[in-house]
Amino acid sequence: YISPNLRTRHSGANFAPLEKLEGVITPNGLHFERHHAGVPQVDPKACRLAIHGMVERPLVFTLEDLKRFPSVTRTYFIERAGNGQNGYRNPPDPNLTATRSRGLASNASWTGVPLALLLKEAGVKPGAKRFIPEGMDAAMYTRSLPLEKAMEDVLVAYAQNGGYPFNRLVSEPFPITPDTEPVEYAIGNYWQYPTTLFDYIRRAMPFGQAGTLTDEEVYHLVAFLLYMNGIIDASTPVNQATLPKIRMPARELLHLDPETQRRFPWLTLP
């Protein structure tokens, strides 16, 4: 959701639709975002976490390294410092919703490694008082925090809300197996019929205005997603006649497991 009160629709603020949510956990796709200098493109296989400075052993961790440490899951409420500023207009906006006035706040379940554990591995030197977490944000918004805070409850998180099966729209066109990581589930390897994808997009998109796309727009979006997943090539026409004939890589998942008589018995779906 982009607030109409912002000066441009490219301000980098995405609001959580508070008045439309149920429960206390914000779904991944509806969590608020604030980007000051674009969205960094992070390759999980290439990214590294470095701990250096006043430590005995400067360390560099890959994502796989972090996952080898004991993990914890905690629920954290996150709020942007500027949340609520839309509610202080003079005169007040009579159409102000909860989203537009307080939507830069979300609550999610995060899984990762306590920073205190990593700092103990590095060996913090006596005299160290504060630390600076720095990411890939091009704006370089960094603030130092007391070292006591790091030892208390700071989490180096690598999963949000347990990692939803449909985190990605694009993935390699292979069927899921017992060894497939949940983050690899995608349209191309999980859904068995392209017509199901068409129906979902037509009923659920775009967010906040579901059902407003024309059939032609839906076909175009389906074609793009199938192409990006390597299921069709750029010259394949996608329309009412051709879409049902496209074979999805996950079609074989329709076969029942001979022992459990379930389609994919190793999965626990939400």
Side-chain angles (χ1 to χ4, degrees):
Y1 175 84
I2 304 298
S3 170
N5 282 349
L6 296 174
R7 285 172 289 181
T8 75
R9 294 183 63 83
H10 303 283
S11 63
N14 297 325
F15 289 57
L18 301 183
E19 71 270 18
K20 297 180 180 180
L21 298 178
E22 301 288 346
V24 297
I25 297 297
T26 308
N28 291 9
L30 302 181
H31 198 286
F32 89 91
E33 297 179 3
R34 181 67 175 101
H35 306 290
H36 287 278
V39 182
Q41 299 300 308
V42 180
D43 181 355
K45 296 181 180 179
C47 69
R48 300 292 185 269
L49 172 66
I51 298 179
H52 60 97
M54 295 185 65
V55 294
E56 300 291 345
R57 298 170 295 278
L59 299 174
V60 177
F61 300 97
T62 66
L63 180 58
E64 292 305 313
D65 292 335
L66 294 176
K67 289 183 177 181
R68 293 189 182 100
F69 284 88
S71 65
V72 298
T73 298
R74 296 170 180 165
T75 300
Y76 285 128
F77 174 81
I78 301 177
E79 182 177 22
R80 181 178 178 265
N83 192 34
Q85 63 181 354
N86 284 342
Y88 299 101
R89 305 289 180 179
N90 189 17
D93 184 351
N95 298 315
L96 198 63
T97 63
T99 294
R100 288 173 56 193
S101 64
R102 296 291 186 271
L104 292 175
S106 296
N107 196 48
S109 175
W110 303 91
T111 299
V113 183
L115 179 57
L117 187 58
L118 302 179
L119 292 178
K120 289 179 181 178
E121 288 288 317
V124 179
K125 292 182 178 180
K129 300 296 184 182
R130 304 180 72 87
F131 72 101
I132 299 178
E134 185 178 67
M136 295 181 64
D137 187 345
M140 301 296 289
Y141 277 92
T142 56
R143 299 289 188 273
S144 68
L145 298 172
L147 191 59
E148 292 80 3
K149 182 65 175 175
M151 297 301 184
E152 181 183 348
D153 61 359
V154 174
L155 191 65
V156 179
Y158 49 73
Q160 179 182 3
N161 292 333
Y164 277 75
F166 308 108
N167 282 354
R168 300 168 60 188
L169 291 178
V170 178
S171 180
E172 293 297 320
F174 58 85
I176 55 177
T177 71
D179 298 322
T180 305
E181 293 292 332
V183 294
E184 294 179 317
Y185 300 171
I187 287 173
N189 58 36
Y190 185 86
W191 289 19
Q192 296 92 7
Y193 295 105
T195 50
T196 306
L197 174 59
F198 177 92
D199 182 62
Y200 172 79
I201 292 175
R202 182 172 59 178
R203 290 185 295 106
M205 296 184 180
F207 176 77
Q209 295 179 308
T212 60
L213 297 178
T214 65
D215 284 350
E216 183 178 12
E217 290 173 327
V218 176
Y219 279 120
H220 288 171
L221 184 53
V222 170
F224 171 76
L225 291 173
L226 295 179
Y227 170 74
M228 292 299 294
N229 278 280
I231 298 172
I232 63 174
D233 57 42
S235 63
T236 303
V238 176
N239 51 48
Q240 184 178 14
T242 62
L243 184 62
K245 300 177 182 179
I246 297 174
R247 186 171 183 83
M248 302 290 277
R251 183 76 65 86
E252 64 188 66
L253 291 176
L254 293 174
H255 300 302
L256 297 180
D257 177 73
E259 295 183 4
T260 63
Q261 291 300 300
R262 293 176 57 193
R263 289 177 181 165
F264 17 87
W266 60 86
L267 292 179
T268 301
L269 298 177

